[in-house]
Amino acid sequence: MDPISLQNSTTSNLLRISGLASGIDTDSIVKQLMTAASQPLYELEQQKQWLQWQQEDLQDINTKLLSLRDNTLFKMKLQGTYLAKTVSSNTSIATATAGVNAVNGTYILNVNQLATAATSASDSALNAYTTNSDGSITYNSLILAGTTCTINLNGKQITLGSSDKDWTINDIVSAINKANAGVNATYDTTTDRLFLITNSTGSNAKIDFSGTTDSNALNFLTNTLKLNTSTVTGTDASFSFNGVNITTSSNNVTVAGINVNLTGIGQTTLSVQTDTDTIYNSIKSFVDAYNDVITQINSKLTEERYYDYKPLTDSQKSQMKDSDITLWEQKARSGDLNGNSTLTSIYYSMRNAISGTVTASDGTKMTLSSIGITTGQWYEGGKLYIDDTKLKDAIQKNPQEVMDLFTKLTESPTDVNATPGSSKDDGIAARLYYIVNNGINSITQEAGGGQYQLYDNSFLGQQINDLNQRMSDMQDHLNTLEQQYYNQFTQLEIYMAQMNSQSQWLSQQLGG
């Protein structure tokens, strides 16, 4: 290349000369050339979009599986879910709830005395505030600044007063409450009195000022706060349960697995029964959650693939309406997980677990259909349906069998290191929990953990990263190629300009 050509070629990197001498539409030609050269890049963009759609849909299903595992299956594999009880009683005497160990039956409760807290109050008004003309109140000073006294409440030393300000009744209430003496203090403006009550009930609860030796403090308690400094104690609850006499410091007690809250004096019957509705609702919630997941997985596995609709490139989108883009991408995205091997394995494993047989503790062979839960038509992909009457009847009559159907774990598995739920003899909820947990791990390996994953080393993630690198390399190549085209056209313009100049010179010479 001669020096002139070299100089002009270098200059063309900074200034593109477009058709000044030749009249050629350089930009249009280069654009067409680059469109053809960019076709491999567009194909890579489409491949990337397809992988991203797969990744997004797999992560969406994984979110559903996580919810099924943590919010439903975890509860369903616990025996306590199937041991829910209901207790009826005369609520004016006692309210009660049954723990999982409570035995169904009728119990007689006779309450003789309720547990009470120790209480004390000012004998008369304290004159602790003044009502202003506008109706507002101003709290009076009960302890002047620079004056202090120390009281002893239940063994806790409480200093009242300070050197920097007068103390009102509110300061005194705050000091007592912060002392951790087991006593709460409140002031009532309506009665203008101070009220004390212990945090606990029973004969051990007390309000005891006997440790106060300061005469000024005693005078303040009796004359200013107008409290009786004699020790006050609470009372214990006294009742009988099926003829057994019981004394307790609290009105909240647990007897024979029944949590009882004593509310009044008298006799009532506590009737403990299986809480059929609560257990039914738990099972129904499980069926609903399972159907939601299995339906979504089946729909993705069987979704039709439209091969003529490929992901749109940015240049294609720029020539389309938003509504048309949406409709196109619905077709283009359809079938992105059709036949996906990971989902297929999860799908059939879940269905096998649901249809399996479990041997109850009494030897009875049970399936979900035994308690009124059956699978729908084949085209519904494994969706479950509940016979409400049959399920509630099973819960009421055979609660142990229902519990075993969902929660049973093999006591002596062949493999001592077997994970709960991994045996075909385990309960349905236990097996499903194991399968869903493995499915979550499999999808995470294929599609990654979503936005909360710092580094995506999943199978699809690595493919997308590889495509990104190839696209970046190809874009660099296209940038170089575009510059090369412009350099060539710029060189053409320079030669054309030189030829035009020479032609004009010859014309002038011949004409002269």
Side-chain angles (χ1 to χ4, degrees), residues 149-151 209 212-223 229:
C149 64
T150 301
I151 64 173
F209 291 106
T212 304
T213 58
D214 184 350
S215 60
N216 291 331
L218 287 171
N219 181 65
F220 181 77
L221 288 172
T222 56
N223 295 327
T229 56

Side-chain angles (χ1 to χ4, degrees), residues 148-390:
T148 63
C149 64
T150 301
I151 64 173
N152 185 298
L153 177 57
N154 291 344
K156 296 288 185 179
Q157 299 287 339
I158 306 174
T159 299
L160 305 178
S162 63
S163 60
D164 57 344
K165 68 167 189 174
D166 293 352
W167 271 37
T168 67
I169 188 63
N170 293 326
D171 298 311
I172 296 167
V173 167
S174 177
I176 294 174
N177 289 337
K178 290 179 180 178
N180 195 28
V183 176
N184 284 327
T186 57
Y187 171 72
D188 177 50
T189 54
T190 302
T191 60
D192 189 25
R193 297 189 185 196
L194 177 67
F195 292 88
L196 303 178
I197 185 170
T198 55
N199 296 333
S200 59
T201 58
S203 57
N204 290 327
K206 60 182 179 179
I207 300 174
D208 182 9
F209 291 106
S210 63
T212 304
T213 58
D214 184 350
S215 60
N216 291 331
L218 287 171
N219 181 65
F220 181 77
L221 288 172
T222 56
N223 295 327
T224 303
L225 298 182
K226 300 182 179 179
L227 294 171
N228 186 336
T229 56
S230 300
T231 300
V232 182
T233 61
T235 59
D236 290 329
S238 174
F239 63 96
S240 64
F241 184 87
N242 270 11
V244 178
N245 294 323
I246 299 173
T247 300
T248 177
S249 63
S250 173
N251 290 316
N252 297 305
V253 293
T254 299
V255 186
I258 306 172
N259 306 311
V260 182
N261 179 38
L262 307 177
T263 57
I265 307 300
Q267 181 175 298
T268 183
T269 298
L270 304 179
S271 180
V272 180
Q273 296 177 335
T274 299
D275 191 347
T276 302
D277 289 340
T278 296
I279 299 173
Y280 167 84
N281 288 332
S282 295
I283 296 175
K284 184 178 185 304
S285 295
F286 155 72
V287 170
D288 290 342
Y290 173 86
N291 283 343
D292 184 39
V293 171
I294 208 73
T295 299
Q296 181 175 359
I297 294 177
N298 181 58
S299 66
K300 294 303 294 183
L301 286 173
T302 58
E303 192 175 45
E304 185 175 357
R305 175 81 181 273
Y306 298 93
Y307 290 94
D308 293 336
Y309 289 81
K310 297 185 180 298
L312 296 171
T313 63
D314 291 339
S315 60
Q316 290 172 327
K317 289 180 181 179
S318 65
Q319 303 173 41
M320 299 172 64
K321 297 178 182 179
D322 289 343
S323 57
D324 292 335
I325 293 173
T326 300
L327 294 174
W328 181 283
E329 289 192 337
Q330 286 176 354
K331 292 280 191 180
R333 187 166 186 165
S334 176
D336 60 337
L337 296 179
N338 184 300
N340 179 275
S341 59
T342 300
L343 283 188
T344 300
S345 175
I346 295 170
Y347 175 75
Y348 284 108
S349 295
M350 290 177 67
R351 292 200 60 181
N352 287 336
I354 282 292
S355 61
T357 301
V358 178
T359 303
S361 56
D362 62 358
T364 303
K365 298 289 186 180
M366 297 195 67
T367 62
L368 282 180
S369 61
S370 303
I371 62 172
I373 302 175
T374 56
T375 305
Q377 299 296 324
W378 64 267
Y379 54 80
E380 294 179 285
K383 187 176 181 180
L384 299 178
Y385 289 90
I386 297 176
D387 182 329
D388 292 346
T389 302
K390 189 173 181 179

Side-chain angles (χ1 to χ4, degrees), residues 456-505:
D456 185 2
N457 58 355
S458 66
F459 176 70
L460 289 176
Q462 291 297 323
Q463 286 187 299
I464 291 172
N465 289 337
D466 180 63
L467 285 175
N468 283 333
Q469 184 60 53
R470 291 172 61 188
M471 289 166 61
S472 177
D473 294 341
M474 184 167 290
Q475 187 62 61
D476 291 341
H477 166 71
L478 292 174
N479 291 340
T480 301
L481 181 62
E482 182 183 41
Q483 187 60 54
Q484 179 181 333
Y485 285 146
Y486 273 109
N487 288 344
Q488 291 174 345
F489 277 105
T490 299
Q491 193 65 49
L492 173 63
E493 295 296 330
I494 292 172
Y495 288 143
M496 291 293 294
Q498 291 175 348
M499 292 176 65
N500 289 337
S501 177
Q502 291 176 358
S503 177
Q504 291 176 2
W505 180 80

